[in-house]
Amino acid sequence: MTDEQLRGALVEFESMVRSTGATGEIIDARARELLSESELRQDARAQCRILGSLAFSHTRRGHLKRALEVALEELSVAQGAGLEDLITDAQGRVGFAYLRTVQNAEAIPFLEAAMEGARRAGDMIQVARNSDNLGSAYFAMSNYVQALKYYRESLRLSEEQGDQRATAGTMHNIGIIYHALGDYTHALEYYHRAMAINEAVGNTEWLFANVNNIGLVYKNSGDYTSALVYYHKSKDLKREVPSARGSAVLADNIGSVYLSLKEYDHALECFSEVLALSEEHELRDMYAKATGALGSLYANKEYRGFDPIKAEDLLLKAITLTSSLGIKKDLYDLHKSLADFYALSDRKAEAYDHFKVYHELEREVHSEEAQRAAEQFEQQKMLSAERAASESTRALLHKVLPSSIADRLVRGEKIADYFQIISILFVDIVGFTPIAARMPAKAVLAFLNYVFGEFDRVMKKHGVQKIKTIGDGYMAVSGAPVECSDHAERLARAALELMADIQLPDEIRKTLPKESVFHLRMGLHTGSAFAGIVGDEGFVYDVYSDAVNLAARMEATGEPGKIHCSEEFAYHLQNRDESFVLEERGEIEVKGKGLMRTFFLERVA
């Protein structure tokens, strides 16, 4: 084979690999033919080109384990011949292959070496792509701080090089970080920005991922109708992008919607499809997810196929698989599902053990450091228009809104956030209504201003956000609009301080009717919530969800002079800090909820 024939054969093979017409069998056969040529066995550079293209082909076909084997062979050939540029290329392919086979820790040293090799060669496009893959490796290991660091570098370089496809891919990955942190507003922002670029350049494969993840945001927000709309759009796109992983992810997402809608038979079909695809294509992470999803389905007593033995077996198996892969963001959900299952089965000790692991993992994944890294990332992307916002407008907004919300509003954002877990307080002044009826209006207002001013002071001291007052009632939340891991402890400390006697100044006390008696009554609960600006004129920042309603009912069913807590709040608090004293009240009837186990938070003796 002459040099010219060799060059022609290589170009023809690379074209075959990237076309959609050639089958995998034809590509494999042609690769074997070429690699058996005596001239090629003496040409390391040509061998690497063939092996690199073959690794790409196996990845595209979903043969991820084989792709890794071929990439390692390519690296060995390049290292044996001392071809620095090809060593760098092969290291990148090996790292990516480890990433796709969910061996994230193994991927990192190869990707780092490939990134540094590309940097030495001045190939900034490859630096950006390897940096993006490093971000994905750290994300899969739930190290969001490192993931954002590498995504930030990748985005900067991709934008500088005008690489729109890489820019869109990294934007999508940044959206995934915010999605995992529960910041759905920023997640949607990055998904939509990535989708616009992918539509412009015709990148259908990434467009499928954008649309699918937007559907997942809506699903996690409880908007199942919108979620299914986007999932059906994903189905249409998937026909153009035959990908086993894409099919498995989409089926898993649709199954989770059906599970939420209590359409259990449809959910079973979807999760079984994920399991079959994962086994066939060696998608270990998706196999673990499907195993856990099926376990949660069989653990549901409303499902006609309820099977506690099968549920426990599948959930334990999923925990083992997910733990071996190091995917902490999936692992804590599995421990929560198993804890819930044990709690319903009256296996309290086992439920406690898994709840404890769940809370520890959740704290680790959603660390304050990760939240700060996400906030810093956005701060570095501030637009010049934001910095030039009117200080007078800003000052006014800061007086009527939480500081972080006022800043976002000035930047022109629509404020609509979802918080996975916050703590909520309601407190009212028991006995004040009949007292106020015998007082002048100005005296009533002065009294409330003083008391609520004291409430505001205590909340600010403990890092809790006041939301609103309603008559003689007061609402505050911890963990929103700025998320924090110790939201329950902050609120508990604030509630205990509020319950201490309020020392009214003489000018207020003398306006009260003689022998006036009033007490505070409080309710606390922990759960998820939406928050945002309500109204176009005379707008307010408000928090709303079933968890908010339940906190209000804790207050309404409480007792004067006591802090009434839901079981969820008490459990979360004790798992975080055991120094608080909680007295079990027993089960009480709660409107719309039936019998609920509740507690009183007591002051430490």
Side-chain angles (χ1 to χ4, degrees):
M1 183 180 289
T2 65
D3 288 346
E4 185 176 348
Q5 288 174 324
L6 177 59
R7 286 194 297 272
L10 291 174
V11 170
E12 178 244 350
F13 178 70
E14 289 168 341
S15 177
M16 177 191 296
V17 166
R18 281 162 175 75
S19 72
T20 56
T23 64
E25 290 78 8
I26 292 174
I27 291 171
D28 291 345
R30 183 57 177 151
R32 285 194 297 271
E33 288 175 9
L34 288 171
L35 290 170
S36 66
E37 291 282 346
S38 58
E39 293 87 349
L40 271 173
R41 287 201 298 273
Q42 305 303 316
D43 190 334
R45 187 170 290 276
Q47 287 182 56
C48 286
R49 282 180 65 179
I50 293 167
L51 291 169
S53 294
L54 188 58
F56 171 83
S57 175
H58 281 301
T59 300
R60 192 175 184 180
R61 286 180 267 162
H63 302 165
L64 304 180
K65 189 175 180 180
R66 182 62 183 140
L68 175 59
E69 292 169 353
V70 174
L72 285 167
E73 185 180 351
E74 176 195 2
L75 178 59
S76 176
V77 171
Q79 288 174 329
L83 301 171
E84 289 298 327
D85 57 333
L86 297 187
I87 289 172
T88 295
D89 290 345
Q91 286 170 328
R93 259 186 289 278
V94 170
F96 182 70
Y98 273 125
L99 191 62
R100 293 301 297 270
T101 53
V102 203
Q103 300 179 75
N104 301 295
E106 290 83 351
I108 287 172
F110 289 98
L111 293 171
E112 286 177 338
M115 186 172 70
E116 290 311 310
R119 198 185 300 279
R120 287 193 301 271
D123 188 347
M124 291 299 107
I125 289 179
Q126 287 304 318
V127 173
R129 290 179 179 176
N130 284 303
S131 186
D132 181 77
N133 286 334
L134 275 165
S136 297
Y138 279 111
F139 170 76
M141 296 166 68
S142 301
N143 188 337
Y144 298 161
V145 176
Q146 284 292 94
L148 277 172
K149 168 190 167 184
Y150 284 108
Y151 284 151
R152 183 186 302 120
E153 176 72 357
S154 176
L155 185 61
R156 181 183 68 81
L157 291 172
S158 297
E159 289 176 334
E160 286 179 1
Q161 299 298 314
D163 188 341
Q164 289 187 295
R165 287 173 177 261
T167 296
T170 302
M171 280 184 176
H172 178 84
N173 289 336
I174 292 169
I176 294 175
I177 292 272
Y178 283 113
H179 197 156
L181 289 171
D183 185 345
Y184 294 162
T185 301
H186 280 111
L188 284 174
E189 176 190 337
Y190 279 96
Y191 289 154
H192 279 292
R193 287 169 64 186
M195 187 167 69
I197 296 173
N198 285 321
E199 284 177 333
V201 300
N203 190 352
T204 309
E205 184 174 358
W206 270 102
L207 192 58
F208 165 78
N210 301 152
V211 172
N212 194 33
N213 275 28
I214 290 170
L216 187 58
V217 169
Y218 284 116
K219 180 263 173 185
N220 290 343
S221 302
D223 186 349
Y224 304 126
T225 301
S226 296
L228 287 173
V229 168
Y230 275 92
Y231 288 152
H232 285 301
K233 288 182 182 178
S234 293
K235 277 187 173 181
D236 294 337
L237 290 165
K238 186 171 70 67
R239 295 188 186 99
E240 302 177 43
V241 187
S243 160
R245 174 170 291 277
S247 297
V249 169
L250 180 57
D252 178 68
N253 289 342
I254 294 174
S256 66
V257 171
Y258 282 133
L259 189 62
S260 299
L261 292 172
K262 300 184 179 181
E263 296 184 25
Y264 301 123
D265 290 338
H266 289 315
L268 178 63
E269 289 176 14
C270 291
F271 295 142
S272 298
E273 180 185 349
V274 179
L275 204 64
L277 283 167
S278 302
E279 282 187 299
E280 181 182 354
H281 297 281
E282 299 178 357
L283 306 173
R284 297 191 299 154
D285 54 333
M286 294 308 300
Y287 183 85
K289 281 179 75 73
T291 302
L294 286 168
S296 296
L297 178 60
Y298 286 117
N300 192 324
K301 288 186 176 180
E302 295 182 10
Y303 173 45
R304 63 181 178 179
F306 169 69
D307 187 333
I309 295 175
K310 188 179 288 187
E312 182 179 17
D313 179 61
L314 287 169
L315 286 170
L316 286 170
K317 182 179 179 182
I319 285 173
T320 300
L321 291 169
T322 307
S323 181
S324 70
L325 296 173
I327 307 175
K328 294 177 184 176
K329 61 185 175 64
D330 291 344
L331 191 58
Y332 74 75
D333 284 334
L334 287 167
H335 279 287
K336 175 68 161 58
S337 296
L338 191 56
D340 289 339
F341 168 73
Y342 282 141
L344 289 172
S345 304
D346 202 30
R347 295 162 67 175
K348 295 180 180 178
E350 291 160 297
Y352 174 81
D353 289 341
H354 285 280
F355 264 123
K356 186 175 180 181
V357 176
Y358 155 65
H359 284 297
E360 288 172 353
L361 285 169
E362 182 192 37
R363 237 180 5 254
E364 185 177 344
V365 171
H366 294 136
S367 67
E368 289 187 16
E369 187 181 5
Q371 298 288 352
R372 283 196 301 272
E375 289 170 11
Q376 288 167 4
F377 183 85
E378 284 309 304
Q379 288 167 5
Q380 291 174 4
K381 298 293 288 181
M382 285 180 66
L383 301 174
S384 59
E386 296 169 1
R387 295 192 294 268
S390 165
E391 287 303 319
S392 60
T393 301
R394 188 187 299 273
L396 178 61
L397 288 173
H398 274 258
K399 287 183 179 179
V400 298
L401 296 171
S403 294
S404 61
I405 298 302
D407 289 339
R408 289 170 59 191
L409 199 63
V410 168
R411 296 199 297 265
E413 288 188 40
K414 296 290 186 182
I415 311 298
D417 299 327
Y418 173 81
F419 297 94
Q420 189 174 14
I421 184 166
I422 64 172
S423 292
I424 307 139
L425 171 145
F426 278 85
V427 54
D428 76 337
I429 305 171
V430 182
F432 182 69
T433 301
I435 294 172
R438 294 152 50 198
M439 295 169 61
K442 287 184 178 180
V444 172
L445 185 61
F447 174 87
L448 290 177
N449 276 339
Y450 178 83
V451 172
F452 288 156
E454 286 295 287
F455 285 9
D456 291 346
R457 178 186 60 78
V458 172
M459 296 302 155
K460 187 173 182 180
K461 173 183 174 182
H462 293 285
V464 175
Q465 180 62 54
K466 169 189 174 180
I467 298 299
K468 60 187 173 183
T469 60
I470 310 168
D472 63 343
Y474 185 99
M475 175 188 173
V477 300
S478 181
V482 178
E483 296 183 64
C484 59
S485 59
D486 61 339
H487 50 87
E489 298 98 305
R490 293 187 187 195
L491 202 63
R493 287 191 289 267
L496 287 167
E497 186 167 340
L498 283 185
M499 195 54 79
D501 291 338
I502 296 176
Q503 300 299 318
L504 297 175
D506 289 339
E507 62 267 28
I508 298 292
R509 186 174 295 280
K510 67 183 181 183
T511 64
L512 299 176
K514 290 182 180 180
E515 300 177 353
S516 296
V517 177
F518 62 87
H519 298 280
L520 299 182
R521 179 174 57 198
M522 297 186 203
L524 305 179
H525 178 57
T526 291
S528 60
F530 292 89
I533 297 295
V534 180
D536 295 322
E537 296 181 8
F539 54 75
V540 295
Y541 179 77
D542 207 353
V543 179
Y544 40 94
S545 70
D546 186 59
V548 173
N549 296 335
L550 189 50
R553 286 171 186 161
M554 287 297 101
E555 179 267 318
T557 55
E559 295 180 4
K562 292 196 173 183
I563 303 168
H564 192 205
C565 308
S566 67
E567 182 178 16
E568 182 64 22
F569 180 90
Y571 191 89
H572 185 81
L573 182 64
Q574 285 199 313
N575 274 303
R576 294 275 310 173
D577 189 333
E578 296 181 359
S579 66
F580 292 95
V581 176
L582 287 155
E583 175 190 349
E584 184 165 357
R585 183 184 187 184
E587 291 189 333
I588 63 164
E589 183 73 21
V590 177
K591 182 180 178 182
K593 295 292 181 181
L595 288 176
M596 290 189 67
R597 185 179 175 213
T598 64
F599 297 78
F600 287 123
L601 176 65
E602 303 283 355
R603 191 175 300 147
V604 179

